[in-house]
Amino acid sequence: FFAVFSVLGLLMAVLPPSAFRRASTYVRGLVVVYLVTLLCTSAAVPNLLRQAKEPSPAWTLLLPSCWFLGLCQWMRGRATPVMADLAKLTLPLLGAIVVIAFSVYAMAYRRHFVRISELTEAISRWGRHRESGLRPQSLGHRSLDHLHRFLLRTPFQLACFAFIWKTLRRSETHRLVLTAVAGLGLVLSSQALMNAVEDTQSARQAALSPEALSIPFILSFLIIAGLRVVFEIPVELRSNWLFRLMLDPDPRECERLARKAVLILVLPCIFVMAFPVYAYLEGFRIAFLHTLLVMTWAVLLTNILLVRFRKLPFTCTLPLFKQHSIVILLSFGFGFLIYSLSTPEFESSALLEPARMISLVPVAVVAWLIPHYLAKNTPEVDRKLIFEESPSRTIELLQLGD
């Protein structure tokens, strides 16, 4: 807490206000990634500490959890030499961070308090400048023309995609959620890459290992699932009256819009992440098959996660807890195992005999047809656009009206 306090206070004291506004978003994103990394490596760090030899490794100084672990073990009389060294540094380091935090924040507060009238005027001018410099289509006219021509074929999809894109760019809450998901993906991908390198003797062998092949699957699963969760988080909920007034309550386009938005954001990243690396290491054929499989699985996953999606992203109240919410969470975990672990395990052996990849076609067809069957058999009342989540009534659940 005090380390984060120190970093933000230092930025406020050193940077101009406009630069601080731009930098703070990225710094807080890095802090989120750092905290997610701490959480995901909490099981591995104690073993590394037990095996570490004096003097204390430099990385232990960057992890406050190691300090307190060393202090705890020293007080219990079970500390290794490295932990004993960390125990001696815990209180001095903690005291130094506290002093630094209050010092830099006092400097920042004095600087900004003295200039508060100037800052208010500068912020208002900056806001007017931004508003006057905004274009109606911030993605650029050419980009929107291409999207409209090839993907976003209706005015509803074109306008709402621009709204989704601007929200993801400007909303700090949504950016931090996606940053946390991306941080988790980077941690899991790094662990998979380290395992792949340790178990093989060359880069080409490592590239065909299940661990290395799983990296784009892990990242694509988490990013798609993260976008699906982010779509549920409202932004300026009181302003959704505009959409209530302007949009047809029965457009039946929300699911298509959300699907296209996710795929437009995810598929280019998958291609850039998978194809060039495998084309360089394994050749064009392996790169094409691997990229095609990851992109196909990403499309199927998107279809499954967005079945019966009848909201405009960011405009509806948060989902309510329902009886099947636990089942949904368990399904996410089970789906992650199949998507990110089982598929790369099969692919690792199938790439040696590409003809075996054909056996995945029936699986893909079934995964494609199930969401379409569910969407086709959705009751008419459940297809209308909603802006408020309402709990299911017991009478409706028992279907006593039938």
Side-chain angles (χ1 to χ4, degrees), residues 70-80:
L71 180 62
C72 176
Q73 293 297 88
W74 176 75
M75 294 175 66
R76 298 171 63 189
R78 299 180 180 180
T80 63

Side-chain angles (χ1 to χ4, degrees), residues 32-43 45 62-65 187:
V32 171
V33 173
Y34 172 77
L35 295 177
V36 172
T37 304
L38 282 182
L39 179 63
C40 295
T41 57
S42 57
V45 170
L62 301 177
L63 302 178
S65 52
V187 172

Side-chain angles (χ1 to χ4, degrees), residues 2-13 20 27 31 100-101 104:
F2 284 109
V4 175
F5 211 59
S6 302
V7 172
L8 294 179
L10 182 62
L11 291 177
M12 290 179 65
F20 172 74
V27 172
V31 169
I100 293 173
V104 297

Side-chain angles (χ1 to χ4, degrees), residues 185-333:
L186 290 175
V187 172
L188 296 179
S189 300
S190 300
Q191 292 178 347
L193 182 61
M194 292 175 61
N195 293 334
V197 173
E198 290 177 357
D199 297 337
T200 54
Q201 298 179 352
S202 65
R204 298 191 64 180
Q205 292 180 354
L208 292 179
S209 65
E211 291 80 8
L213 292 172
S214 68
I215 292 176
F217 288 98
I218 292 172
L219 292 174
S220 61
F221 183 94
L222 292 177
I223 292 175
I224 293 173
L227 286 171
R228 178 64 178 84
V229 173
V230 165
F231 284 170
E232 300 283 357
I233 302 175
V235 55
E236 299 297 340
L237 192 58
R238 292 176 297 176
S239 299
N240 69 1
W241 63 268
L242 179 64
F243 300 103
R244 291 173 181 261
L245 180 65
M246 297 291 293
L247 297 181
D248 181 2
D250 189 23
R252 301 187 183 182
E253 289 194 79
C254 293
E255 184 178 338
R256 299 174 189 172
L257 167 68
R259 185 188 306 118
K260 290 182 179 181
V262 171
L263 295 180
I264 288 173
L265 296 173
V266 172
L267 291 185
C269 298
I270 293 176
F271 181 84
V272 172
M273 178 173 49
F275 188 82
V277 175
Y278 278 85
Y280 175 76
L281 294 175
E282 303 293 341
F284 178 81
R285 185 182 66 173
I286 298 296
F288 174 77
L289 291 175
H290 178 54
T291 306
L292 178 63
L293 180 60
V294 179
M295 296 178 75
T296 302
W297 252 232
V299 172
L300 296 176
L301 177 65
T302 303
N303 288 341
I304 293 173
L305 293 183
L306 291 173
V307 65
R308 295 181 177 177
F309 184 80
R310 55 194 183 113
K311 308 173 184 177
L312 182 63
F314 318 125
T315 63
C316 186
T317 55
L318 287 171
L320 302 174
F321 181 82
K322 299 180 180 180
Q323 290 87 344
H324 59 276
S325 298
I326 300 298
V327 177
I328 293 177
L329 293 177
L330 294 177
S331 300
F332 263 91

Side-chain angles (χ1 to χ4, degrees), residues 307-308 310 373-383:
V307 65
R308 295 181 177 177
R310 55 194 183 113
Y373 174 80
L374 294 176
K376 185 178 180 180
N377 291 273
T378 302
E380 190 68 23
V381 68
D382 290 334
R383 296 185 179 184

Side-chain angles (χ1 to χ4, degrees), residues 44-60 66 79-86:
V45 170
N47 292 328
L48 294 176
L49 277 177
R50 292 191 193 97
Q51 300 171 3
K53 299 179 180 179
E54 292 187 284
S56 302
W59 59 268
T60 57
C66 292
T80 63
V82 171
M83 292 182 182
D85 292 342
L86 291 173

